[in-house]
Amino acid sequence: MDSCVIPLRHGGLSLVQTTDFFYPLVEDPYMMGRIACANVLSDLYAMGITECDNMLMLLSLSQKMNEKDRERVTPLMIKGFRDAAEEGGTSVTGGQTVINPWIIVGGVASVVCQPNEFIMPDGAVPGDVLVLTKPLGTRVAVNAHQWLDQPEKWNRIKLVVTKEEVKEAYYEAMFSMATLNRTGITPLP
């Protein structure tokens, strides 16, 4: 389970919270911020929760980046993350930014709700319907795109896919990952 459910002391409410982070999957910092936010929120959406009370953003910038690149990349990742949060009906109220060996972007999403407002993902039984809100294979598309610059890996797949197909799949995957899953679920009555 990607989210935790913590019963609160007051009024039969629960805190549902999730944390997720990623290394860069795509070359566009704005889209990477959107992808990170969409993935954090998707953990709540997977529990049937469509409203998020608060988000925090976690951003680690590489110490290998020069100051000029950091000044260009940082605002774009933050904007992408915030834009996706706003689209999800929530806001980013804080977080943490650090310099680290690697670029990492992610966040925390929190909601306080009543127990009838979420679904625990542990009750599935054979015969239940599984609903996918996005296509499978985005990681394969991203990996294949990275392999375009790695001859030893590209040579293994070039007989079954063209460079143009890889680039098209990469862009489709990037936009899919940056899209919120919120509209793919129906809120509980």
Side-chain angles (χ1 to χ4, degrees), residues 100-130:
N100 193 42
W102 313 278
I103 295 175
I104 301 171
V105 59
V108 177
S110 305
V111 63
V112 175
C113 57
Q114 296 182 15
N116 67 343
E117 294 180 282
F118 60 86
I119 301 167
M120 293 298 289
D122 60 359
V125 296
D128 281 354
V129 174
L130 179 63

Side-chain angles (χ1 to χ4, degrees), residues 168-179:
E168 182 180 337
Y170 167 78
Y171 285 106
E172 285 183 28
M174 180 173 59
F175 285 102
S176 175
M177 290 186 292
T179 301

Side-chain angles (χ1 to χ4, degrees), residues 72-86:
R72 193 176 75 232
V73 167
T74 304
L76 291 170
M77 279 203 278
I78 292 170
K79 180 166 178 34
F81 195 94
R82 284 190 170 166
D83 285 354
E86 185 177 310

Side-chain angles (χ1 to χ4, degrees), residues 7-43:
L8 299 177
R9 297 181 300 236
H10 311 290
L13 299 172
S14 294
L15 170 66
V16 180
Q17 194 169 55
T18 185
T19 302
D20 216 337
F21 66 90
F22 298 89
Y23 298 101
L25 301 170
V26 298
E27 298 164 356
D28 182 327
Y30 175 83
M31 292 301 284
M32 194 58 233
R34 284 192 62 87
I35 290 167
C37 184
N39 275 277
V40 173
L41 288 172
S42 73
D43 294 345

Side-chain angles (χ1 to χ4, degrees), residues 64-175:
K64 294 177 184 175
M65 295 173 73
N66 62 47
E67 190 66 29
K68 181 181 174 187
D69 287 343
R70 269 193 229 130
E71 288 177 5
R72 193 176 75 232
V73 167
T74 304
L76 291 170
M77 279 203 278
I78 292 170
K79 180 166 178 34
F81 195 94
R82 284 190 170 166
D83 285 354
E86 185 177 310
E87 185 179 319
T90 189
S91 60
V92 181
T93 60
Q96 184 70 31
T97 303
V98 296
I99 303 295
N100 193 42
W102 313 278
I103 295 175
I104 301 171
V105 59
V108 177
S110 305
V111 63
V112 175
C113 57
Q114 296 182 15
N116 67 343
E117 294 180 282
F118 60 86
I119 301 167
M120 293 298 289
D122 60 359
V125 296
D128 281 354
V129 174
L130 179 63
V131 177
L132 299 178
T133 57
K134 292 183 180 177
L136 298 175
T138 54
R139 187 66 212 194
V140 173
V142 169
N143 285 352
H145 188 263
Q146 291 171 344
W147 295 349
L148 290 173
D149 297 327
Q150 300 174 25
E152 68 283 353
K153 291 186 178 182
W154 173 246
N155 289 334
R156 290 189 220 157
I157 65 170
K158 71 180 182 181
L159 297 176
V160 295
V161 66
T162 67
K163 288 183 178 186
E164 293 73 27
E165 290 170 327
V166 167
K167 289 176 183 177
E168 182 180 337
Y170 167 78
Y171 285 106
E172 285 183 28
M174 180 173 59
F175 285 102

